Amino acid sequence: MSIAAPGQLNVNESPSWGSRSVDCFEKLEQIGEGTYGQVYMAKEIKTGEIVALKKIRMDNEREGFPITAIREIKILKKLHHENVIKLKEIVTSPGPEKDEQGRPDGNKYKGGIYMVFEYMDHDLTGLADRPGMRFTVPQIKCYMRQLLTGLHYCHVNQVLHRDIKGSNLLIDNEGNLKLADFGLARSFSNDHNANLTNRVITLWYRPPELLLGTTKYGPAVDMWSVGCIFAELLHGKPIFPGKDEPEQLNKIFELCGAPDEVNWPGVSKTPWYNQFKPTRPMKRRLREVFRHFDRHALELLERMLTLDPAQRITAKDALDAEYFWTDPLPCDPKSLPKYESSHEFQTKKKRQQQRQNEEMAKRQKMQHPQQHTRLPPIQQPGQHAQMRSGPNQNLHGSQPQVAAGPSHHYGKPRGPSGGPGRYPPSGNPGGGYNHPNRGGQGGGGYGSGPYPPQGRGAPYGSSGMPGGGPRGGGGSGYGVGAPTYPQQGGPYGGSGTGRGSNMMGGNRNQQYGWQQ
Amino acid sequence: MLTGGEYSNHSRQLQPETCQTELNLPRVLCVLSSTLEKLVARNEKLVHELSQEVDGSIRIGKSLNAFHGVRAPSISIPKYLERIYKYTNCSPSCFVVGYVYIDRLTHLHPDSLVISLNIHRLLVTSVMIASKMLDDEHYNNAVYARVGGVSNAELNKLELELLFLLDFGVMVSSRVFESYCLHLEKEMVVNGTGLIKVERALASPKAMLMDEHDHNHLNHEPEILVEDNNNSNQSSPLPQILDSELTFS
């Protein structure tokens, strides 16, 4: 270890993060709210630049500085890419109060620590759920290419995102898409020898290897999530809306077929394979179910939703897929339409207003138009989706299974009218995945879930967090989203009652059952 | 705080062989202890010389002030590292990475010296952060505070201090990790201790590789288990892992 003599120059060029106070910014409005943190839209006083301020609150003394925040900061500090959210700096607020003993040298961070991000107007889920929103094919290609480019950059830099989902993909009004919320991300080494927690990635986007208990995994986990998003963009709704892990696996098997040693060598060695292997033969039905998709899109999706992670397409190869190089080509982000910027806090008001309108319309016996249906992309007539037939249909009828409360992104407030299904082109009224969790909150890129609460969080936001749910609490782009893993404890046991020591690992006791 | 006579009572001779007698301890603890003791001894000497030159006002940076105790803890560096390892069961690589942080600190704040007054707090804080970074499972700050002999509140403060002093540069690439391992091994050769290979398991944190045996090992330390388990059916009194000698001041 080298020792610098006193008085030696400090060669650190840039001003240290944390050297500036949050007072350098003027908070314009709160755009997200969570138990553990708030997100503000703010203006840097000196430059007038609009930024997003995410407050990191440290309520849990035993945990100290949230691990998710440390990880997010250290990873974002290293990543500089146009498709990765930019963490501009960290600012602190000393807070007015002195410490407990009233000592003058109290905690200078007591007032809070804020992460300063570039401001983004939307998130993908929020945008997709806008009333009347219909992405074009070049638009989807454009978003997908940016998503893959950003992810490829992360993977090249040996970072796994581990929470790819629509609400973590922020979009600005220039059409740029950026990966956000690196609170679950971590570095990996190429040999994949590390044992990592399998309790990552929001359930609906979680790959089969994690659901089967694998702890050695790599970038392929993110690619599964990308496949889910891709299919969702084309299909118009989430394709695997499982309510718990067993159901999640079942949904995957129903579409992608059951894994066996032929299509996925080694699968029978995964920790929970015997527990969850399908009891009946299940054929891969991806091509059949999505036969209306464009040929190249289907080809790419096939390779993303490959059960065996070793055979799953990489981000780099996906970028080379025919899909991105055949007509219609991905559009220039700048050519995309600009959408009115909106955030949860703002849209709450709007929704309230809308609800009143709907009520009024009802009273006037008028048929209020169904506004909140997410539409599949614009494509040639006759190409629209047939809803999947099969057992899933019953699971997600018009009857919401879980009342999660308002959750997301410009969704339709679960109002009085049942209305037609969300995907009218299918001619399948009321059927399909009319998922309850999509009702509610506006989105727009700013998260509002908490930094992960200690211990378990319920997958559908029943833990009392605003806007919980697998898609991230109320839009979580800036990473204050609801926790990803639904449960702690053994494989899907959900038995953990103790506190998790942190969101990455949970409580050792829960994991290993020391108490037993 | 930094007065002339104080540190000299606490400067210790290098005794790398002593820690080797402990079985089942990662070799990195031994190597690291010796390296840090050497560093502290060197810096103490520097402080001593400075204090004699300019009486009263020593030109030592204030960056590490938060880590300074009133007096140096009586527990030796090897024993302290051993204690952290034993009770937190963090990966051996956390000690290498903790060392990387301390080294980065001295580069980022060259006027600050690692001395016997601050080395313990620096160690427990840096190893804790390293464990948070590396181990998907690790103990929380409350446990590290008890193990380290500081209050939870103080450790939280030190954690933030260190993170900000490091400018949140807590990422350690495998290349950098490897180079620090080599550096530590070289130190031992220079010491005449002979070649000691440091555990290289950056990508495979021990906490993640714990097998049943490891659990059993930890089960023999019930106080720690109770501590990390806030379960309401646990009515046992709080553990007494906080030796009196470890209550720093």
Side-chain angles (χ1 to χ4, degrees):
Chain A
M1 189 179 295
S2 63
I3 305 301
Q8 186 176 321
L9 280 176
N10 187 340
V11 289
N12 187 27
E13 293 157 24
S14 58
S16 284
W17 280 7
S19 56
R20 293 212 298 167
S21 159
V22 72
D23 297 339
C24 296
F25 298 88
E26 180 194 346
K27 286 178 189 165
L28 297 176
E29 64 179 313
Q30 191 173 340
I31 50 181
E33 165 70 67
T35 318
Y36 286 73
Q38 294 103 26
V39 184
Y40 300 91
M41 180 184 184
K43 187 168 77 178
E44 185 176 4
I45 292 163
K46 208 168 72 186
T47 61
E49 189 184 358
I50 300 295
V51 298
L53 285 180
K54 183 168 105 181
K55 183 171 187 178
I56 303 166
R57 271 172 59 196
M58 289 150 294
D59 290 358
N60 191 325
E61 183 179 57
R62 299 174 59 84
E63 302 299 324
F65 196 69
I67 176 92
T68 47
I70 306 182
R71 287 184 189 228
E72 181 163 29
I73 293 168
K74 70 143 187 184
I75 283 174
L76 286 178
K77 217 174 125 69
K78 290 282 168 192
L79 299 180
H80 304 283
H81 189 271
E82 55 187 349
N83 297 121
V84 173
I85 192 76
K86 185 177 175 196
L87 176 60
K88 299 164 77 73
E89 66 174 306
I90 309 282
V91 294
T92 60
S93 153
E97 76 273 38
K98 290 176 176 166
D99 70 358
E100 297 82 0
Q101 283 81 41
R103 283 193 305 247
D105 63 340
N107 191 342
K108 62 183 168 187
Y109 310 112
K110 198 133 199 165
I113 293 171
Y114 296 81
M115 297 165 76
V116 185
F117 290 99
E118 57 186 327
Y119 178 80
M120 301 289 281
D121 308 85
H122 319 279
D123 67 62
L124 186 60
T125 305
L127 208 52
D129 283 347
R130 280 175 88 104
M133 172 60 72
R134 209 176 168 110
F135 293 141
T136 64
V137 172
Q139 187 172 14
I140 290 178
K141 287 192 181 186
C142 171
Y143 289 148
M144 283 303 297
R145 192 167 67 174
Q146 293 187 70
L147 165 57
L148 286 164
T149 307
L151 196 58
H152 173 55
Y153 173 81
C154 293
H155 290 170
V156 164
N157 285 283
Q158 302 197 319
V159 170
L160 301 179
H161 185 284
R162 302 202 300 188
D163 199 15
I164 297 285
K165 58 178 171 180
S167 58
N168 285 339
L169 306 176
L170 303 185
I171 294 172
D172 66 15
N173 265 338
E174 303 297 312
N176 297 309
L177 180 148
K178 297 178 195 240
L179 300 180
D181 196 350
F182 283 71
L184 281 179
R186 69 161 294 147
S187 314
F188 66 97
S189 66
N190 277 326
D191 52 19
H192 296 192
N193 273 332
N195 283 276
L196 309 173
T197 175
N198 49 46
R199 290 197 304 266
V200 288
I201 305 184
T202 303
L203 190 59
W204 296 358
Y205 304 88
R206 199 180 301 168
E209 64 268 29
L210 296 186
L211 291 162
L212 289 172
T214 305
T215 55
K216 292 183 199 298
Y217 54 83
V221 297
D222 287 334
M223 289 307 295
W224 179 272
S225 312
V226 171
C228 296
I229 287 168
F230 185 34
E232 188 171 329
L233 285 172
L234 296 168
H235 192 46
K237 55 181 169 278
I239 58 164
F240 299 130
K243 67 172 172 2
D244 52 29
E245 286 90 341
E247 189 189 289
Q248 189 65 33
L249 266 178
N250 198 46
K251 284 189 183 306
I252 291 171
F253 295 161
E254 276 171 0
L255 185 68
C256 301
D260 54 41
E261 282 295 327
V262 177
N263 61 23
W264 180 352
V267 66
S268 58
K269 306 271 193 320
T270 57
W272 304 329
Y273 176 73
N274 286 327
Q275 216 168 322
F276 292 114
K277 66 181 171 204
T279 46
R280 59 191 168 87
M282 290 160 113
K283 268 174 40 197
R284 189 169 174 90
R285 298 172 55 236
L286 194 83
R287 280 183 181 276
E288 177 194 335
V289 172
F290 296 130
R291 60 183 174 276
H292 55 286
F293 285 2
D294 163 271
R295 182 166 60 91
H296 295 303
L298 189 54
E299 213 166 82
L300 179 57
L301 185 62
E302 271 275 14
R303 301 192 56 198
M304 288 172 169
L305 297 181
T306 298
L307 288 172
D308 181 3
Q311 297 174 55
R312 206 171 294 150
I313 194 168
T314 63
K316 182 175 184 297
D317 289 346
L319 284 166
D320 288 335
E322 278 298 303
Y323 178 70
F324 294 109
W325 303 95
T326 46
D327 279 332
L329 291 170
C331 62
D332 177 4
K334 297 202 171 25
S335 72
L336 288 171
K338 299 192 189 327
Y339 305 99
E340 184 200 351
S341 167
S342 39
H343 299 286
E344 190 187 349
F345 261 53
Q346 300 162 318
T347 48
K348 252 183 200 163
K349 286 180 201 153
K350 274 187 209 153
R351 272 198 321 278
Q352 229 160 22
Q353 183 66 46
Q354 194 173 351
R355 232 174 265 139
Q356 284 168 4
N357 291 346
E358 281 179 14
E359 280 299 308
M360 208 168 329
K362 218 174 111 189
R363 258 182 247 124
Q364 294 168 359
K365 308 251 185 244
M366 279 167 55
Q367 188 63 45
H368 194 71
Q370 197 66 36
Q371 280 194 18
H372 295 81
T373 305
R374 202 203 269 186
L375 302 170
I378 301 162
Q379 38 189 308
Q380 279 88 41
Q383 279 200 324
H384 284 309
Q386 282 296 323
M387 295 306 295
R388 292 172 53 182
S389 54
N392 272 340
Q393 218 156 327
N394 311 334
L395 291 175
H396 295 279
S398 52
Q399 208 50 20
Q401 287 185 308
V402 184
S407 106
H408 236 78
H409 309 298
Y410 291 97
K412 168 179 162 293
R414 280 187 289 114
S417 62
R422 298 180 43 185
Y423 303 93
S426 69
N428 190 353
Y433 297 110
N434 195 1
H435 204 275
N437 246 338
R438 292 313 207 90
Q441 308 290 62
Y446 292 92
S448 59
Y451 256 109
Q454 316 303 329
R456 53 191 293 204
Y460 280 75
S462 53
S463 54
M465 294 170 292
R471 316 214 59 201
S476 58
Y478 281 95
V480 277
T484 284
Y485 16 66
Q487 287 164 0
Q488 305 226 4
Y492 312 152
S495 59
T497 47
R499 333 165 341 273
S501 62
N502 69 68
M503 77 177 305
M504 307 308 298
N507 187 315
R508 289 183 180 206
N509 292 323
Q510 290 169 1
Q511 271 250 306
Y512 295 112
W514 288 354
Q515 293 311 116
Q516 274 76 54
Chain B
M1 209 184 295
L2 297 170
T3 53
E6 213 170 46
Y7 60 85
S8 55
N9 299 331
H10 297 281
S11 48
R12 280 167 285 271
Q13 292 303 304
L14 292 180
Q15 291 175 315
E17 63 278 9
T18 53
C19 63
Q20 283 179 291
T21 60
E22 291 277 354
L23 293 174
N24 300 325
L25 281 181
R27 293 174 300 277
V28 62
L29 294 188
C30 174
V31 180
L32 185 58
S33 306
S34 141
T35 307
L36 289 174
E37 286 190 312
K38 219 162 61 178
L39 169 76
V40 167
R42 209 161 52 195
N43 286 347
E44 298 273 334
K45 198 161 153 267
L46 186 63
V47 172
H48 184 63
E49 282 162 9
L50 281 170
S51 67
Q52 299 209 323
E53 276 172 25
V54 201
D55 55 331
S57 60
I58 310 162
R59 289 183 304 142
I60 301 278
K62 290 186 174 12
S63 306
L64 300 185
N65 272 6
F67 296 88
H68 279 265
V70 175
R71 67 188 75 84
S74 53
I75 185 169
S76 70
I77 293 174
K79 284 284 167 216
Y80 195 64
L81 286 175
E82 183 186 325
R83 180 183 170 86
I84 294 174
Y85 176 73
K86 188 173 155 198
Y87 285 108
T88 68
N89 201 44
C90 59
S91 326
S93 42
C94 293
F95 292 92
V96 178
V97 171
Y99 172 65
V100 174
Y101 294 162
I102 293 175
D103 194 39
R104 281 184 184 169
L105 206 57
T106 61
H107 282 91
L108 288 167
H109 307 274
D111 55 342
S112 299
L113 295 179
V114 175
I115 52 174
S116 59
L117 291 180
N118 56 29
I119 181 65
H120 293 76
R121 282 179 177 78
L122 282 171
L123 273 176
V124 69
T125 314
S126 58
V127 171
M128 178 184 75
I129 295 174
S131 170
K132 273 189 169 179
M133 291 300 100
L134 291 180
D135 298 341
D136 263 2
E137 288 153 34
H138 59 263
Y139 283 109
N140 61 25
N141 289 26
V143 172
Y144 273 90
R146 301 184 84 94
V147 171
V150 292
S151 75
N152 197 164
E154 181 180 4
L155 188 59
N156 288 358
K157 201 178 107 193
L158 296 179
E159 179 183 32
L160 282 170
E161 283 286 347
L162 191 58
L163 287 170
F164 278 102
L165 285 172
L166 289 170
D167 210 9
F168 283 89
V170 288
M171 184 87 102
V172 175
S173 70
S174 43
R175 193 181 51 80
V176 169
F177 178 79
E178 179 66 23
S179 72
Y180 273 88
C181 287
L182 284 172
H183 174 77
L184 285 171
E185 284 160 4
K186 222 162 59 191
E187 288 268 325
M188 295 314 285
V189 176
V190 171
N191 275 349
T193 316
L195 185 65
I196 297 185
K197 280 288 217 181
V198 167
E199 290 81 359
R200 285 172 171 75
L202 186 58
S204 321
K206 179 170 187 286
M208 297 303 300
L209 295 172
M210 285 198 300
D211 56 16
E212 283 310 309
H213 174 75
D214 290 312
H215 302 162
N216 293 338
H217 161 71
L218 269 161
N219 271 332
H220 297 312
E221 309 287 352
E223 59 270 41
I224 290 287
L225 293 177
V226 180
E227 169 55 25
D228 196 34
N229 179 23
N230 213 15
N231 207 324
S232 50
N233 16 3
Q234 274 291 335
S235 54
S236 340
L238 284 173
Q240 294 301 312
I241 56 171
L242 219 158
D243 311 350
S244 56
E245 59 164 348
L246 266 179
T247 314
F248 295 171
S249 53

